[in-house]
Amino acid sequence: MRITDTAVQALRYTRDRTEYYWDDNLKGFGIRASKGGNCSYILQFKIRGSTRRQTLGKSTVISAKMARQAAREVLGRKALGEDLDARPDMTVVDALEWYRDTYAYERSDQYQKMVNQMISNLFTKRVQRRLLTDMTRADWLDISEGQARKGFISSANWTEKQIKTMLNRLVERGLLASNPLAGVRNRFKTKSRDRVLSDAELRTVWDTIQTYDDRRRLALETLIITACRRSEILGLLIEEYEDGVITLSAERVKNRKPHLVTLPSYLRSQFDLFIPEHDTLFFGSDRGHLHAEHVLKTLRAETGIADFTLHDLRRTAATRMASLGVMPHIIEACLNHQMAAVGSVASVYNRYSYAKEKAEAWTLWEGFILNLP
């Protein structure tokens, strides 16, 4: 496509994930259309073999013509040998957007969403405008400490990890002399959840969701039986299901490894009977995808089980599979976890998918659920 104001305006609709569109005439010039409907002009190019993405401006602020001219200027400076990494006037928001466009875009949609939320929600406009070189260790630590003070310990650790990673990347690229957070380790202790639902609780949850409409019922049944992550199922695309098999692409999963889920007989029969209401999302409607927190709040209220999360269903599946005799490495494969022997010869050379063994494990687990007393 040729990027024009008219073409960009046509892209301003609510979508289910961030998408990129590239200009046919100017290589690397494109549009990033976010999930919320916002569009930004971007330029993609390579420096010393690494792909970079530079945000040129929002479509609501500058025109396509202005963005195209800005892209040509950047490419011209690059052609003349200018080091585009040299940014002595880089601000905090410049650094955050550089990190997002250079590294975070390679991760899953959920990861990109979290990085965007970190930028917009945790960094005030005053902080965003500050020069990167003026930020002290205390300034950076204040960001995550603010979350910790509110009780969001896991989020505080995640935010601090992203900031440290970003600063390391900036140092690697010569954009920052040193990392002010070097040597800082996770300072906020979290208690790992070990909640596993009992058979009686699992039966209560299963019976309760049978009273829901087909969309919510089948989505929750799929979460329980497949043990997939909630974002993978609640955001399931129509194109990802065919002939009894869910195929999750690398872009949609946490560890960036495609995940093949062969549905056992009951679940497949329900999938084949279900008629999606949305043209993109399998469990979507005209209001978008199911919201995990709303679903969980309703489920807690109606089951009377207040102290569990949707992720606990995943842990419950893994625990019960083990008790049913499923081998640990097969359970890990069902969960799409990184192989336990990370760094070993096995993790590098063993490329077997365990598709047959995973299918047998899901069938065994489904049978256990359907026959709960």
Side-chain angles (χ1 to χ4, degrees):
M1 65 179 289
R2 177 173 173 77
I3 294 179
T4 63
D5 290 333
T6 302
V8 173
Q9 187 62 33
L11 296 176
R12 292 184 60 78
Y13 62 89
T14 301
R15 54 185 49 77
D16 302 313
R17 57 180 176 178
T18 299
E19 297 176 356
Y20 296 87
Y21 302 89
W22 304 103
D23 188 77
D24 293 333
N25 297 329
L26 183 58
K27 185 177 180 180
F29 179 49
I31 276 284
R32 180 179 60 244
S34 68
K35 181 177 178 181
N38 296 319
C39 295
S40 296
Y41 298 104
I42 59 174
L43 178 63
Q44 180 171 292
F45 52 91
K46 284 193 174 183
I47 297 180
R48 293 183 285 277
S50 298
T51 299
R52 309 295 174 83
R53 282 185 181 173
Q54 179 175 329
T55 301
L56 302 172
K58 294 184 177 180
S59 62
T60 54
V61 177
I62 64 174
S63 66
K65 183 177 180 180
M66 294 168 62
R68 186 183 298 275
Q69 181 59 35
R72 290 187 185 279
E73 290 177 2
V74 173
L75 293 175
R77 287 159 44 207
K78 179 176 180 290
L80 291 172
E82 182 178 334
D83 184 3
L84 298 182
D85 271 347
R87 292 285 305 278
D89 60 341
M90 178 176 271
T91 63
V92 171
V93 71
D94 288 336
L96 291 166
E97 291 180 347
W98 177 86
Y99 173 67
R100 178 195 65 197
D101 296 338
T102 308
Y103 294 97
Y105 85 93
E106 298 175 348
R107 306 292 294 273
S108 66
D109 291 341
Q110 180 66 18
Y111 187 92
Q112 293 180 51
K113 178 182 177 181
M114 292 171 68
V115 171
N116 278 321
Q117 288 177 337
M118 179 186 74
I119 295 172
S120 59
N121 297 341
L122 301 184
F123 289 84
T124 65
K125 295 298 182 183
R126 181 182 62 81
V127 172
Q128 289 186 9
R129 289 193 294 266
R130 291 186 62 178
L131 287 177
L132 189 62
T133 52
D134 290 343
M135 291 287 287
T136 65
R137 172 177 288 209
D139 293 330
W140 289 115
L141 294 179
D142 279 345
I143 305 299
S144 54
E145 286 173 354
Q147 287 183 290
R149 284 192 292 269
K150 295 177 182 178
F152 305 130
I153 304 302
S154 295
S155 294
N157 279 329
W158 185 88
T159 298
E160 197 163 280
K161 178 182 178 181
Q162 299 311 308
I163 293 174
K164 287 190 290 186
T165 301
M166 178 190 74
L167 295 173
N168 280 331
R169 297 288 186 269
L170 289 166
V171 172
E172 289 172 2
R173 294 301 176 190
L175 298 172
L176 191 64
S178 61
N179 183 351
L181 295 188
V184 174
R185 302 183 182 278
N186 284 359
R187 300 169 300 135
F188 313 111
K189 301 301 180 182
T190 58
K191 182 180 179 180
S192 298
R193 286 186 63 84
D194 56 4
R195 179 77 161 90
V196 174
L197 274 68
S198 67
D199 289 355
E201 289 174 327
L202 192 57
R203 166 52 70 184
T204 299
V205 170
W206 186 266
D207 288 345
T208 300
I209 66 178
Q210 301 310 307
T211 65
Y212 291 175
D213 60 84
D214 286 346
R215 188 166 70 102
R216 285 192 302 161
R217 174 187 60 79
L218 184 54
L220 287 167
E221 286 180 343
T222 307
L223 276 174
I224 293 172
I225 293 174
T226 66
C228 286
R229 297 177 178 87
R230 67 184 194 181
S231 61
E232 296 166 354
I233 298 304
L234 300 187
L236 185 68
L237 305 176
I238 290 177
E239 64 193 47
E240 291 177 328
Y241 174 72
E242 185 176 5
D243 295 333
V245 177
I246 292 175
T247 305
L248 298 172
S249 64
E251 293 74 22
R252 285 245 297 118
V253 297
K254 184 177 180 180
N255 65 2
R256 306 293 287 177
K257 287 188 174 182
H259 189 32
L260 196 72
V261 182
T262 304
L263 301 184
S265 58
Y266 166 77
L267 196 55
R268 174 172 181 170
S269 68
Q270 297 304 300
F271 262 66
D272 291 341
L273 290 172
F274 181 73
I275 301 175
E277 303 173 21
H278 198 275
D279 59 357
T280 303
L281 292 168
F282 197 88
F283 296 118
S285 68
D286 58 351
R287 302 181 66 181
H289 63 79
L290 289 166
H291 292 281
E293 295 307 319
H294 175 71
V295 169
L296 178 61
K297 183 178 179 180
T298 302
L299 195 55
R300 283 172 168 172
E302 296 185 357
T303 59
I305 307 172
D307 61 336
F308 83 99
T309 68
L310 294 180
H311 197 79
D312 291 340
L313 298 174
R314 183 170 156 88
R315 187 181 302 105
T316 300
T319 303
R320 289 292 183 272
M321 282 183 182
S323 70
L324 293 172
V326 180
M327 296 298 292
H329 63 285
I330 304 302
I331 297 175
E332 295 294 285
C334 287
L335 298 176
N336 198 26
H337 275 169
Q338 189 78 15
M339 183 177 288
V342 173
S344 71
V345 172
S347 67
V348 175
Y349 288 98
N350 185 1
R351 299 302 182 189
Y352 180 54
S353 67
Y354 296 104
K356 177 176 177 291
E357 292 83 354
K358 289 194 297 181
E360 292 172 349
W362 280 313
T363 297
L364 187 64
W365 171 230
E366 180 187 79
F368 176 84
I369 294 170
L370 296 178
N371 290 288
L372 280 169

